[in-house]
Amino acid sequence: MSTGVTISSMSTYAILGCGSVGHAVADDLTEEGKDVLILDKDESRVEALRDQDLNARAQDIADPDVAEVVADRDVILILSSDVDANKAAVRAIRERDGEQYVVVRASDPVSQDELTELGADVVINPSTVIADSALRALESGELEYKARQLADILESTDGTLAILAHDNPDPDSIAAAVALGAIAAEYDVESDIIYDGEIGHQENRAFVNTLGIDLHARADARPLAEYGALALVDYSEAGELDVGADVDVYIDRDEPDEEFEASFTDIRRNVSATSTILTKYIQEFDLSPDATVATALLYGIRAETVDFKRDTTPADLTAAAYLHPFADHDMLEEVESPSMSPETLDVLAEAIQNREVQGSHLVSNAGFIRDREALAQAASQLLDLEGITTSAVFGIDDDTIYLSARSKDIRINIGNVLQDAFSDIGEAAGHSTQGNAEIPLGLFTGIEASESNRDTLLTLSEEAVRRKLFDAMGVESSGGGGSESSNGS
């Protein structure tokens, strides 16, 4: 079977078997000015086709002679409802060493496999096509319905909309909030993007500063209950949903850990970025995103999928393709290449020196730290080491152990791992690919923290954190820093 022919170069067609499907295809191709030959064994049907000025002739497509009849055709569409006849036609064409591009109709997965083995280039299963079409129509209809619901909430909002991102927000959460703010502005609703924690990761700071995104620390903002409405975006990672106010809008790519009530909810686990969901709403509301919104959303998708190398879905790709022409790619490049601070470099160096590897899992102690966000950067950097699928880096700041973890291992959910390891003595949150934990130092070690016993606490916490993490991952720790053990996972 030749691969030298492409659809764009093809100009002559043959349709074998002209029932309702074949007739519809023939009409469309003829309207496009294509040269179409129709073969069908039903002579009365052939006469009817000729009466419509279609080029048709009587031919049993199961007859081996069919290969000669269509020898001068570039594309062969075998669309009979008789699958055995379709198999015979494919077999005849391929045995004649025909190089035509062959599209054939199957009836079920078994015949689909058989026709592929016979040499068909494309095999169509009508039931699958109908199901796919129905799902696309359902998705489109559901989005339209959801958009109307969201519009109703925005139109009825009296006052400013508070958009709450998850704690220590990442680009996906910030971008989704920016996009929702842009949608709200179309309904003359002002919005404040609010967050808890810090924006400490250098790429995240560069993202916010370069794009000029206006964010409000929750500690400096008015109480959420005083806003006209409250939206949570990409918030499941925060874990805690008791925000002290009624939730009007909840949009996320993952289910929250606890049940809650919201006037409007859109949770889609079939995408990898909440920015993808908001891009769909931008399209549904027929908005042309400005450079800031488009660049934010595109970066949010790219950051969450690690430049489309992790858990990327078709929806993520189509959303990115839509955003691409609207985005400012100079700003995007500036965001993606921030300089590394001396504090982050120190944490990374310490984490590299103190790493312990068990199988494909790495755990490291960065010691005493001043910038807890540097832990996330170190965990991301160490995940790029050869053979590593999960990395966790922890450090001590004042009286607390902070830990950040990243994973590309499809067998584990790193957020669940951290919860299993530390939720009984601290706070842990995250999802399948990343997570964070905070553990009170004195509670973890059983010793009250003071300046005089910092080194002792560091030693005790290092051993305990490694052991609990490796146990939660299902591997055995060797108990020492700087190890490169190759024990299995």
Side-chain angles (χ1 to χ4, degrees):
M1 178 172 51
S2 170
T3 57
V5 182
T6 62
I7 287 292
S8 60
S9 68
M10 296 169 181
S11 57
T12 59
Y13 296 77
I15 296 176
L16 280 57
C18 197
S20 58
V21 175
H23 198 172
V25 173
D27 282 342
D28 286 346
L29 289 174
T30 301
E31 287 180 9
E32 293 176 10
K34 304 296 185 181
D35 179 1
V36 182
L37 169 65
I38 302 171
L39 304 182
D40 196 285
K41 68 177 181 180
D42 187 329
E43 294 189 3
S44 61
R45 182 180 297 163
V46 168
E47 288 299 322
L49 293 169
R50 287 174 177 169
D51 290 341
Q52 299 173 45
D53 294 327
L54 294 171
N55 180 15
R57 60 180 288 182
Q59 172 72 45
D60 185 351
I61 68 170
D63 191 320
D65 291 344
V66 74
E68 293 294 334
V69 177
V70 297
D72 63 338
R73 297 282 147 170
D74 298 312
V75 188
I76 314 297
L77 298 106
I78 307 173
L79 303 177
S80 164
S81 59
D82 184 344
V83 176
D84 288 335
N86 293 351
K87 291 178 188 177
V90 174
R91 186 181 295 109
I93 291 167
R94 291 306 182 213
E95 286 180 351
R96 186 188 175 278
D97 295 327
E99 296 184 350
Q100 298 104 321
Y101 192 85
V102 176
V103 179
V104 62
R105 174 179 173 175
S107 60
D108 52 47
V110 174
S111 61
Q112 190 168 343
D113 291 341
E114 292 173 344
L115 287 162
T116 300
E117 290 176 3
L118 286 170
D121 294 288
V122 176
V123 181
I124 300 170
N125 185 343
S127 59
T128 302
V129 172
I130 293 170
D132 289 343
S133 178
L135 287 172
R136 285 194 298 271
L138 176 63
E139 181 179 302
S140 176
E142 184 179 18
L143 179 59
E144 183 180 347
Y145 172 70
K146 288 283 190 182
R148 288 200 303 268
Q149 285 186 310
L150 180 57
D152 289 343
I153 290 175
L154 294 174
E155 287 175 340
S156 63
T157 297
D158 183 14
T160 303
L161 170 68
I163 305 175
L164 185 60
H166 67 63
D167 298 354
N168 310 309
D170 60 12
D172 185 33
S173 189
I174 296 170
V178 168
L180 182 57
I183 293 171
E186 292 294 315
Y187 290 86
D188 297 322
V189 176
E190 295 183 355
S191 60
D192 288 345
I193 302 174
I194 301 169
Y195 69 96
D196 269 318
E198 299 178 350
I199 302 174
H201 195 294
Q202 283 161 317
E203 281 195 11
N204 296 354
R205 288 198 296 267
F207 172 62
V208 171
N209 294 335
T210 302
L211 271 64
I213 299 171
D214 189 16
L215 302 179
H216 304 268
R218 188 171 174 186
D220 300 330
R222 53 180 156 144
L224 297 177
E226 294 182 8
Y227 280 86
L230 172 62
L232 307 186
V233 291
D234 195 39
Y235 199 76
S236 61
E237 190 175 326
E240 180 60 53
L241 282 170
D242 184 7
V243 294
D246 292 336
V247 178
D248 298 282
V249 175
Y250 186 96
I251 302 175
D252 207 328
R253 66 180 183 85
D254 211 350
E255 296 279 353
D257 292 333
E258 58 187 80
E259 292 185 2
F260 75 103
E261 291 186 2
S263 302
F264 171 87
T265 302
D266 191 353
I267 299 171
R268 303 191 203 181
R269 303 193 66 180
N270 62 335
V271 301
S272 290
T274 306
S275 294
T276 298
I277 304 174
L278 268 298
T279 301
K280 298 299 183 185
Y281 278 106
I282 290 283
Q283 293 176 282
E284 183 62 31
F285 281 105
D286 198 23
L287 305 179
S288 293
D290 64 24
T292 297
V293 173
T295 305
L297 288 170
L298 181 56
Y299 183 64
I301 296 170
R302 287 175 57 167
E304 203 67 17
T305 61
V306 191
D307 265 340
F308 311 111
K309 295 192 288 286
R310 181 182 69 194
D311 300 332
T312 309
T313 70
D316 299 316
L317 293 173
T318 56
Y322 168 77
L323 295 166
H324 191 271
F326 297 102
D328 186 323
H329 295 277
D330 290 335
M331 284 201 296
L332 199 59
E333 184 176 354
E334 187 176 342
V335 169
E336 291 176 327
S337 306
S339 58
M340 182 175 287
S341 70
E343 292 84 359
T344 300
L345 191 60
D346 289 342
V347 168
L348 179 58
E350 196 74 16
I352 292 173
Q353 178 66 31
N354 296 330
R355 71 192 184 279
E356 179 183 348
V357 178
Q358 300 294 333
S360 63
H361 306 308
L362 180 152
V363 176
S364 187
N365 175 18
F368 295 101
I369 60 172
R370 296 190 302 275
D371 180 7
R372 70 187 69 168
E373 283 298 319
L375 296 173
Q377 290 177 269
S380 296
Q381 293 282 346
L382 292 174
L383 191 63
D384 292 333
L385 292 177
E386 184 177 358
I388 299 301
T389 61
T390 304
S391 64
V393 181
F394 62 95
I396 298 174
D397 182 12
D398 294 329
D399 298 334
T400 304
I401 300 170
Y402 293 97
L403 183 146
S404 184
R406 298 291 184 268
S407 180
K408 54 187 177 185
D409 189 339
I410 62 173
R411 299 169 299 175
I412 68 172
N413 181 311
I414 194 62
N416 292 343
V417 167
L418 296 187
Q419 289 179 0
D420 291 343
F422 304 114
S423 61
D424 58 334
I425 54 173
E427 297 181 3
H431 50 76
S432 61
T433 60
Q434 64 184 52
N436 300 284
E438 297 182 15
I439 310 107
L441 185 57
L443 179 63
F444 190 63
T445 60
I447 302 174
E448 185 177 350
S450 69
E451 188 65 30
S452 61
N453 64 6
R454 280 161 58 92
D455 290 340
T456 301
L457 289 173
L458 178 60
T459 302
L460 291 173
S461 63
E462 178 175 17
E463 180 180 351
V465 168
R466 290 180 191 272
R467 184 176 64 252
K468 288 182 75 69
L469 264 178
F470 280 127
D471 285 348
M473 292 177 186
V475 298
E476 200 173 301
S477 172
S478 63
S483 169
E484 287 287 351
S485 170
S486 60
N487 292 350
S489 61

